[in-house]
Amino acid sequence: MTPETSPLIEIEIGPVAHGGHCVARHDGRVVFVRHTLPGERVRARLTDAGESAKFWRADAMEILEASPDRVTPAWPEAGPGGVGGGELSHVSLPGQRRWKAAVLREQLSRLASIDRDVDVEEMPGDEARGGLGYRTRIDLVADAEGRAGMVRHRSHDVVPLDSMPLASEEVAALAVAEGVFTRTWEPGARLELVAPATGGAPVLLVDGKPAHGGKTDRRPNARRSVHEVVDHDGRQYRYRLPADGFWQVHREAPRALVGAVLRAAGDVRGLRVLDLYSGAGLFTAPLADAVGPDGSVVAVEGDADAVRAARRNAHGLDRVDLRHGAVERVLSGLDEGARADVVVLDPPRVGAGRRVVDQVAALSPSRVVYVACDPAALARDVGYLSARGYELGDLRAFDLFPHTHHLEAVAVMER
């Protein structure tokens, strides 16, 4: 029996869970149900229901009793059986933020034994846009017939699209100019559309190479970088990075996170700050200004392209020491007895992990500022830091990914 032909089950929906679904029970078995809300009663189709599975998965297909937070889906193509990346588009924006706050609270309680209420902050302009049009970067893939689309949730199948509602106006304009949704591409081709929110020239990459008019731009000097600008504390920071390099996707995210991190770091004048997983240097230059001429910033990043970009972006800042290498290896190579006054770390989704947390704690910083895009990884690492004598201070959460279950958090650990 395939998911498409499996019978519908009537089920009452319980609390939210990390991953974009809610928890329910059917015949004594846990079922993770997508496209629903706590307190609803739905008819759901089982999508993963093996007899040996520890839990089942299902999609809500018919709503029998609706939650007050349910709205008409903002992106129907991301509904049951559709693409990933918009699994909460049936939830009101305030409801989405409450959903994410509940997940963060639950993860901190379960994994770090910390009970903390937190509000998830909305970004300027999102309410007016209905939570749409915020992504300055989107990734697409061509299906077997060459039509641009996205991968179906928990599948390798590509769903062709006519548009991507989460894309910013600049990205949408780039898609129209390049005929992204009307042109036929090589089956399996991967398309990356990047358009800085601050007006920098956009770039289309096809299989990692610049493209224009449906053809690869093979010129040696073909542009494959973008320029970003971030305003903070009356200063303007300019960044140049590869178009396919990591950068926060929400148009307001870089500004919001720089402000949150610098506030969380506190008064760092004259101090030694470590900026771990520093990428292209989003926090590095603002931190260098904050420590002043008597302080220093050691930035550590494992991706060679990102380090090259960071060197350009921090050019002229003598107080910045950029180091290329895996964070764990670079920290292991520090001089015996090395210390840091403040550590800022912005690890990938999997988090820093016990080894890096132990290395950070061994440097005896008075404050650790942890930027996280996964509440489970954050809670786990906060638990590790707690075991090393740190206490959770300020905690802020930001809705940088409307219509998805993802959030960004900035936590301060102090001792």
Side-chain angles (χ1 to χ4, degrees), residues 145-233:
E145 297 180 13
R147 299 169 298 179
M150 294 176 62
V151 175
R152 195 183 308 277
H153 178 67
R154 292 180 63 83
S155 169
H156 297 294
D157 297 336
V158 177
V159 179
L161 298 174
D162 296 321
S163 65
M164 202 288 196
L166 305 187
S168 68
E169 293 179 3
E170 295 83 359
V171 169
L174 174 63
V176 171
E178 294 293 345
V180 167
F181 294 108
T182 56
R183 195 183 301 278
T184 299
W185 305 93
E186 186 72 21
R190 307 197 69 84
L191 288 70
E192 300 172 77
L193 288 76
V194 181
T198 50
V203 173
L204 168 64
L205 300 178
V206 178
D207 290 331
K209 299 176 181 178
H212 182 66
K215 298 180 180 179
T216 300
D217 189 340
R218 302 188 183 280
R219 296 174 300 167
N221 63 342
R223 186 172 58 83
R224 53 177 303 119
S225 62
V226 293
H227 291 80
E228 301 279 357
V229 179
V230 178
D231 293 318
H232 172 70
D233 197 24

Side-chain angles (χ1 to χ4, degrees), residues 233-309:
D233 197 24
R235 300 186 182 185
Q236 197 171 72
Y237 296 93
R238 297 183 176 275
Y239 303 84
R240 178 185 171 194
L241 65 152
D244 57 355
F246 175 78
W247 190 256
Q248 291 287 340
V249 300
H250 195 292
R251 62 184 186 279
E252 295 288 343
R255 178 199 57 79
L257 290 178
V258 167
V261 166
L262 269 291
R263 174 183 171 184
D267 185 357
V268 293
R269 286 175 295 181
L271 301 185
R272 187 176 195 235
V273 177
L274 263 62
D275 181 13
L276 306 181
Y277 308 96
S278 53
L282 174 61
F283 304 132
T284 307
L287 284 169
D289 282 342
V291 301
D294 297 325
S296 63
V297 176
V298 179
V300 182
E301 170 57 45
D303 183 82
D305 289 339
V307 172
R308 281 191 288 271

Side-chain angles (χ1 to χ4, degrees), residues 7-367:
L8 297 178
I9 60 173
E10 191 169 313
I11 196 166
E12 291 186 4
I13 304 301
V16 299
H18 183 36
H21 39 244
C22 294
V23 181
R25 290 186 176 274
H26 180 70
D27 290 342
R29 192 184 298 263
V30 171
V31 185
F32 291 120
V33 189
R34 286 165 53 87
H35 312 295
T36 187
L37 278 153
E40 292 189 329
R41 187 167 189 83
V42 305
R43 287 194 178 95
R45 173 163 285 130
L46 295 172
T47 58
D48 188 352
E51 286 299 325
S52 62
K54 293 182 178 179
F55 54 83
W56 287 351
R57 299 179 185 274
D59 283 346
M61 306 300 294
E62 182 182 352
I63 311 304
L64 304 177
E65 296 177 15
S67 163
D69 282 326
R70 178 170 288 276
V71 296
T72 301
W75 187 12
E77 290 86 351
V83 302
E87 63 276 3
L88 298 190
S89 77
H90 65 287
V91 185
S92 70
L93 292 178
Q96 291 181 31
R97 295 192 290 273
R98 289 192 292 271
W99 176 306
K100 297 172 189 185
V103 169
L104 181 53
R105 286 194 302 269
E106 189 272 337
Q107 295 295 306
L108 284 170
S109 178
R110 185 170 63 87
L111 298 177
S113 299
I114 294 174
D115 294 324
R116 174 68 67 87
D117 286 331
V118 60
D119 292 325
V120 177
E121 303 174 32
E122 67 176 304
M123 291 293 99
D126 278 355
E127 192 70 35
R129 292 183 174 91
L132 304 173
Y134 65 86
R135 291 190 65 104
T136 62
R137 289 149 170 78
I138 65 171
D139 295 336
L140 304 168
V141 61
D143 69 3
E145 297 180 13
R147 299 169 298 179
M150 294 176 62
V151 175
R152 195 183 308 277
H153 178 67
R154 292 180 63 83
S155 169
H156 297 294
D157 297 336
V158 177
V159 179
L161 298 174
D162 296 321
S163 65
M164 202 288 196
L166 305 187
S168 68
E169 293 179 3
E170 295 83 359
V171 169
L174 174 63
V176 171
E178 294 293 345
V180 167
F181 294 108
T182 56
R183 195 183 301 278
T184 299
W185 305 93
E186 186 72 21
R190 307 197 69 84
L191 288 70
E192 300 172 77
L193 288 76
V194 181
T198 50
V203 173
L204 168 64
L205 300 178
V206 178
D207 290 331
K209 299 176 181 178
H212 182 66
K215 298 180 180 179
T216 300
D217 189 340
R218 302 188 183 280
R219 296 174 300 167
N221 63 342
R223 186 172 58 83
R224 53 177 303 119
S225 62
V226 293
H227 291 80
E228 301 279 357
V229 179
V230 178
D231 293 318
H232 172 70
D233 197 24
R235 300 186 182 185
Q236 197 171 72
Y237 296 93
R238 297 183 176 275
Y239 303 84
R240 178 185 171 194
L241 65 152
D244 57 355
F246 175 78
W247 190 256
Q248 291 287 340
V249 300
H250 195 292
R251 62 184 186 279
E252 295 288 343
R255 178 199 57 79
L257 290 178
V258 167
V261 166
L262 269 291
R263 174 183 171 184
D267 185 357
V268 293
R269 286 175 295 181
L271 301 185
R272 187 176 195 235
V273 177
L274 263 62
D275 181 13
L276 306 181
Y277 308 96
S278 53
L282 174 61
F283 304 132
T284 307
L287 284 169
D289 282 342
V291 301
D294 297 325
S296 63
V297 176
V298 179
V300 182
E301 170 57 45
D303 183 82
D305 289 339
V307 172
R308 281 191 288 271
R311 293 194 190 284
R312 290 192 298 266
N313 298 329
H315 180 71
L317 295 174
D318 295 337
R319 67 198 70 143
V320 172
D321 178 7
L322 285 165
R323 304 194 184 186
H324 173 219
V327 168
E328 179 178 336
R329 179 173 60 80
V330 173
L331 292 182
S332 296
L334 295 178
D335 295 336
E336 186 175 351
R339 296 178 61 87
D341 298 300
V342 175
V343 174
V344 174
L345 64 163
D346 183 9
R349 189 170 301 280
V350 295
R354 184 187 293 275
R355 173 62 174 160
V356 169
V357 167
D358 286 346
Q359 290 175 312
V360 167
L363 296 171
S364 298
S366 61
R367 180 171 293 198

